[in-house]
Amino acid sequence: MLDTANVPVVRPGQAAEADRRPRTDAIRTLGSNPATAPIMLHPGDSISAGRRLLYVILLGALTALGPFTIDLYLPAFPVLETDFDTTAAAIQLTLTGTMLGFGLGQLLVGPLSDKVGRRIPLLAVTALHVVSSVAAALAPTLETLGITRVLMGAGAAAGGVVAMAIVRDLFGGRRLVVMLSRLALVSGVAPVVAPLIGSGLLLVMPWRGLFVVLAIYGAVMLVAALIFIPETLPRERRSERGTTTVWQRYGSVLTDRVFLGVLVIGGMTFSGLFSYLSASSFLFQESFGFDAQQYGLLFAVNSIGLVIGVQVASRLAARFGPQWVLAYSTAMLFVSAVAIIVFDQLGLGLWGILIPLFVFMVTCGFTFPCAQVLALDRHGKAAGTAASLLGAVNFGVAGLVSPVVGWLSADSAITGTTMAAVMAGCAVIGILALWFVVRPRSVQALTP
């Protein structure tokens, strides 16, 4: 029988009133007939559709802060190289520093949010992002810029980690699939569109203006979080047995076989995506003669593919289970990457790369939300820790793998074959992790 002792229940007509209250943990109100009162399995079940939309917008914007912090200034690399009179390799170290700060920031913010609640880490670290962005805009030397970029990365880390943790605090089961798919949409599209926005901004402002824009973005998010995002992890849930220390939370997550497998799948999918991002400018502009506008159009089209994949995946995962969506998507990642290699070797030209590449991007959209659901649905008590590991591994592994494309092409120009070879290798590792570590048949169905 269902134990209703700890299940929040709301009388008809009280959902709207509950939505206006500052706290978002479930409300237990038994009506005159508890047997017929609606059962709320998760705190977010009593939240109105309008409030859920607000959370999607705000949490999505917080999630995008990280990718925008990393990628917005990429088009300014040549200008930075000239202004600081240094080498391209030295400029790229500022990107490495940003990724390092972002990864370490997530590993710290996630467990901290499980310990003290979501709001304090979110507000404090986002404030750090604003201050360091202003410092980056004023940086007199490359060394100073590098330090501020590390701090910017750490400051941007809170957005994605806490956003996913808040969603897990509020939702479970199939509604968790839908909500996380919206965040996955943002986190997947943001790295693709950020360089395009950066290119447009450079037409009307110097490179220092990009960091001013990031500071304003962070300030807006800080104010919005302060006003609209309540604490979603009540004090009593922070001290539940087995989750009171950082090591206990990491232990509960890292001893979960399914989580470890999903961690590999997410990291490999992100690495395949970043291999395309790091190689595409050289491939399409140097090998196929794209100008900046044509290259931007290519990014836009592939972004649409990613959007399509995420939206379709949320429906399929809710119906068939995220593990079975991953079974097909990981296979399609491999097939589409191999198709690029085969078509390139057959000399089919530009369209032989563009068509399977679009399929690859759509399939990335299928994979991201399903990986997040499997990772977080099993760890509601340590959602911040789980989200931090997922984000840190995604960006950290992608930062290590994506330069392999350049290494394979060290003696020649980057081709579709060298780019897709890395993408295919990542897909193979993801497939092995799914079937030998996650083992889809062993994963329980989502709760309603």
Side-chain angles (χ1 to χ4, degrees):
M1 293 181 61
L2 178 64
D3 181 10
T4 60
N6 296 310
V7 175
V9 182
V10 179
R11 287 198 305 262
Q14 285 193 317
E17 178 185 354
D19 185 55
R20 291 191 294 268
R21 300 182 185 183
R23 60 182 290 158
T24 54
D25 49 310
I27 300 168
R28 173 178 170 81
T29 307
L30 296 177
S32 57
N33 186 359
T36 60
I39 297 176
M40 302 299 176
L41 295 177
H42 307 284
D45 292 346
S46 62
I47 295 177
S48 68
R51 176 69 63 170
R52 287 199 299 270
L53 177 61
L54 177 63
Y55 283 156
V56 167
I57 294 173
L58 293 181
L59 298 179
L62 282 168
T63 301
L65 182 61
F68 268 84
T69 297
I70 294 170
D71 294 342
L72 188 70
Y73 83 132
L74 296 183
F77 272 16
V79 182
L80 287 168
E81 183 179 355
T82 301
D83 281 7
F84 287 113
D85 190 22
T86 186
T87 64
I91 297 299
Q92 289 177 331
L93 284 176
T94 65
L95 177 61
T96 302
T98 310
M99 299 282 281
L100 178 63
F102 191 71
L104 292 176
Q106 290 188 87
L107 293 177
L108 292 173
V109 171
L112 183 62
S113 73
D114 287 333
K115 182 67 175 178
V116 304
R118 311 304 184 198
R119 277 175 60 85
I120 293 177
L122 176 61
L123 298 176
V125 181
T126 305
L128 172 64
H129 177 273
V130 175
V131 174
S132 55
S133 296
V134 173
L138 302 173
T141 65
L142 182 60
E143 290 76 14
T144 304
L145 179 63
I147 294 172
T148 58
R149 287 295 293 170
V150 173
L151 295 175
M152 286 180 67
V161 170
V162 177
M164 282 197 288
I166 288 174
V167 170
R168 183 59 188 89
D169 290 340
L170 297 176
F171 304 102
R174 296 176 181 177
R175 184 161 282 166
L176 177 66
V177 175
V178 176
M179 294 296 291
L180 285 179
S181 72
R182 305 297 187 259
L183 298 189
L185 173 62
V186 174
S187 62
V189 171
V192 179
V193 302
L196 301 180
I197 296 176
S199 298
L201 291 174
L202 286 173
L203 296 176
V204 297
M205 63 179 63
W207 64 265
R208 294 181 185 275
L210 299 180
F211 297 115
V212 174
V213 171
L214 287 171
I216 295 172
Y217 184 173
V220 171
M221 290 296 95
L222 181 61
V223 173
L226 187 64
I227 296 174
F228 296 109
I229 298 181
E231 180 57 65
T232 58
L233 186 64
R235 185 179 299 275
E236 58 271 17
R237 287 184 56 199
R238 302 173 201 166
S239 57
E240 291 182 2
R241 184 177 179 181
T243 60
T244 56
T245 69
V246 171
W247 299 116
Q248 285 176 322
R249 286 188 288 273
Y250 271 122
S252 68
V253 171
L254 292 177
T255 54
D256 179 9
R257 168 182 54 81
V258 174
F259 180 85
L260 292 176
V262 169
L263 206 61
V264 174
I265 295 170
M268 288 298 100
T269 305
F270 230 78
S271 296
L273 173 63
F274 267 74
S275 297
Y276 151 67
L277 293 176
S278 65
S280 60
S281 60
F282 300 101
L283 174 62
F284 293 108
Q285 294 189 69
E286 294 182 0
S287 300
F288 291 102
F290 278 33
D291 58 28
Q293 289 71 34
Q294 291 170 330
Y295 183 56
L297 179 62
L298 170 66
F299 264 94
V301 171
N302 283 331
S303 298
I304 293 173
L306 200 64
V307 170
I308 293 172
V310 168
Q311 297 309 305
V312 175
S314 65
R315 297 179 180 274
L316 294 179
R319 181 175 180 181
F320 299 106
Q323 68 273 27
W324 296 114
V325 177
L326 285 176
Y328 287 96
S329 67
T330 51
M332 282 304 302
L333 287 173
F334 176 71
V335 170
S336 56
V338 170
I340 294 175
I341 297 174
V342 172
F343 294 162
D344 187 46
Q345 293 299 307
L346 292 176
L348 298 185
L350 179 63
W351 287 105
I353 295 177
L354 291 182
I355 294 175
L357 179 60
F358 182 79
V359 175
F360 184 90
M361 294 296 289
V362 172
T363 311
C364 283
F366 273 77
T367 307
F368 290 138
C370 295
Q372 291 177 354
V373 169
L374 284 181
L376 296 181
D377 187 56
R378 303 165 62 86
H379 296 285
K381 296 179 181 179
T385 303
S388 69
L389 282 170
L390 194 62
V393 168
N394 280 355
F395 281 93
V397 174
L400 294 174
V401 171
S402 57
V404 174
V405 179
W407 175 72
L408 292 176
S409 308
D411 299 325
S412 60
I414 290 177
T415 65
T417 297
T418 53
M419 177 184 73
V422 178
M423 294 159 60
C426 292
V428 168
I429 297 174
I431 292 171
L432 294 175
L434 176 70
W435 290 104
F436 291 97
V437 181
V438 175
R439 301 202 293 268
R441 292 184 180 84
S442 68
V443 178
Q444 295 181 349
L446 293 175
T447 57

